[in-house]
Amino acid sequence: MKWFKSLAAAALLLPAVTMAAELPAGLENKKIALVRFISQGDFFQAYLAGVKAQAEALDLELQVFDARQDAARQRDMLDQAILQGFDGILLQHGFTDSIKDKAAEAVDAGIQVVAFDVDAQNEAIPQIQQSDAELARLALEQLVADNGEQLDLGYVYVPGFPPLERRDAVFSEFKQIYPGLKEVARFGTVNNPIANSVADQAAAVLRANPTISVIFAPFDEFAKGAKIALEEAGLAQDVKIYSADISTADIQAMREPGSPWVATAGTNPVVMGEVSVRALAMLLAGENPGRQVLVPPTLITRQLLNEQDIQNMEQLGQKLPAFAHADVANPEWMVLPNR
Ligand code: SR1
């Protein structure tokens, strides 16, 4: 049994990753930077966890620059990342105007750059996204299937964010296809804490628009805000919420008895973080992940969560494998984190 014990001891020393073929030489001793505009909320915390796990699996040194929703700070941080000689930069959210020229400067300096949910308007920078049009379509089709084509709805929206703008384009199409869908109020903010700020706005909107029977809130922090307002106004049984994104906290909120939050469409944000780093690693290895790196979303209803008794993201991944892993930016040699 001595051999068995030493084998078991050796196994414990192995890194917590799934080993694939040998890593390409281009990935040795590389430093990458995550330059993020927004970080508060379940989605962004989980996204960071995915970035860290995938960077560790590939032995990439990672530094996180957190602009905390300050566009000028994000620009400065991108500048710092260029000056500090990072080999790769992952841009996460932000505004085209504040990063476009700096992102081009990074590319010209030979730094590999990828962007998640921010448009740097640069052909050399792959764009990573959750197929936002499909995500909005899934949520809106469920909204119409549940509530019919004639209804007054409230819409939570903030312009300027590419994922929200892509979802908004699909919402506009739906309103044309179904003229009976009446958007009677539009509101929204990303001021921290986002959910509470949206709740304050939603409370006023609901008071002024008693005919609203549905709220379309295509960001989970927006949906949390709408839910708080509906519950405080005693309207949780009368108004339904359709959203984007999913997290363990969201699953619990959707499953609360009498919750108005009945459906959402999304991906696993941990997977989005992993895919973002994998796309960057492919560039560092001299491979092309493609101009658009898309991760398909899935619809999740309150009914499904209750019927399958899904309590958290881990169980969601067991029932719906799309939430555990995305076969995107995943060449033969890729080393995946163990989850
Ligand atoms: C303010 S933008 C918020 C969105 O970014 C990510 O795409 C998440 O899906 C979230 O809904």
Side-chain angles (χ1 to χ4, degrees):
M1 289 306 277
K2 217 170 171 188
W3 64 269
F4 176 78
K5 277 191 187 156
S6 29
L7 199 67
L12 286 176
L13 295 176
L14 288 174
V17 296
T18 303
M19 297 308 290
E22 209 170 289
L23 286 177
L27 284 182
E28 273 168 24
N29 302 318
K30 291 291 187 274
K31 292 193 307 178
I32 62 167
L34 167 63
V35 182
R36 52 192 340 215
F37 174 76
I38 183 166
S39 55
Q40 282 211 0
D42 295 343
F43 184 95
F44 303 105
Q45 283 175 21
Y47 178 85
L48 179 60
V51 167
K52 285 183 173 170
Q54 186 62 71
E56 192 186 338
L58 290 169
D59 213 12
L60 296 168
E61 191 183 325
L62 169 72
Q63 187 170 331
V64 180
F65 294 83
D66 186 353
R68 282 174 277 137
Q69 285 164 256
D70 180 331
R73 192 184 290 149
Q74 187 184 29
R75 181 182 171 78
D76 282 351
M77 288 177 155
L78 178 51
D79 209 24
Q80 283 172 40
I82 296 169
L83 293 172
Q84 288 176 25
F86 282 88
D87 302 291
I89 296 176
L90 164 55
L91 295 167
Q92 180 234 295
H93 291 76
F95 302 108
T96 302
D97 286 350
S98 46
I99 54 135
K100 186 181 160 186
D101 59 332
K102 287 284 155 201
E105 205 178 304
V107 170
D108 292 345
I111 300 170
Q112 303 298 337
V113 183
V114 298
F116 172 54
D117 273 355
V118 54
D119 185 5
Q121 291 181 351
N122 189 311
E123 285 297 313
I125 301 181
Q127 297 284 307
I128 298 144
Q129 61 146 303
Q130 307 169 78
S131 314
D132 289 289
E134 173 69 358
L135 184 154
R137 193 184 57 74
L138 287 169
L140 288 165
E141 278 175 353
Q142 188 65 33
L143 184 157
V144 172
D146 289 350
N147 303 281
E149 300 172 16
Q150 304 287 330
L151 55 100
D152 286 357
L153 44 75
Y155 177 39
V156 195
Y157 179 62
V158 175
F161 292 93
L164 302 187
E165 290 186 342
R166 290 187 286 258
R167 296 166 198 174
D168 181 61
V170 175
F171 183 49
S172 296
E173 281 169 25
F174 261 70
K175 286 184 291 183
Q176 287 199 333
I177 299 168
Y178 302 108
L181 292 186
K182 294 256 165 9
E183 179 192 321
V184 297
R186 178 179 291 216
F187 57 101
T189 172
V190 290
N191 289 348
N192 287 326
I194 300 172
N196 297 80
S197 308
V198 168
D200 291 343
Q201 293 181 335
V205 164
L206 289 163
R207 273 195 301 274
N209 299 279
T211 60
I212 287 177
S213 60
V214 163
I215 295 179
F216 181 45
F219 170 21
D220 61 349
E221 299 303 314
F222 291 170
K224 285 179 200 170
K227 178 173 177 287
I228 294 169
L230 287 172
E231 287 169 349
E232 284 180 0
L235 291 171
Q237 293 304 307
D238 306 316
V239 182
K240 294 193 182 98
I241 302 167
Y242 294 79
S243 79
D245 306 319
I246 189 76
S247 67
T248 291
D250 296 345
I251 291 170
Q252 285 162 5
M254 289 173 75
R255 290 199 60 187
E256 279 169 17
S259 173
W261 191 351
V262 293
T264 190
T267 63
N268 182 340
V270 174
V271 169
M272 291 312 300
E274 292 173 358
V275 166
S276 303
V277 173
R278 294 211 295 270
L280 185 53
M282 287 179 72
L283 285 183
L284 289 167
E287 295 183 16
N288 182 2
R291 174 85 180 99
Q292 296 284 337
V293 179
L294 300 178
V295 178
T298 305
L299 178 75
I300 305 133
T301 61
R302 179 168 192 266
Q303 189 181 357
L304 171 108
L305 295 173
N306 281 336
E307 280 173 4
Q308 308 247 347
D309 194 19
I310 295 167
Q311 314 268 1
N312 52 43
M313 287 298 282
E314 198 186 334
Q315 292 175 0
L316 188 64
Q318 285 158 4
K319 304 273 182 186
L320 305 175
F323 280 93
H325 176 67
D327 198 16
V328 173
N330 192 20
E332 286 266 294
W333 51 262
M334 190 56 71
V335 181
L336 303 177
N338 268 348
R339 272 193 283 113

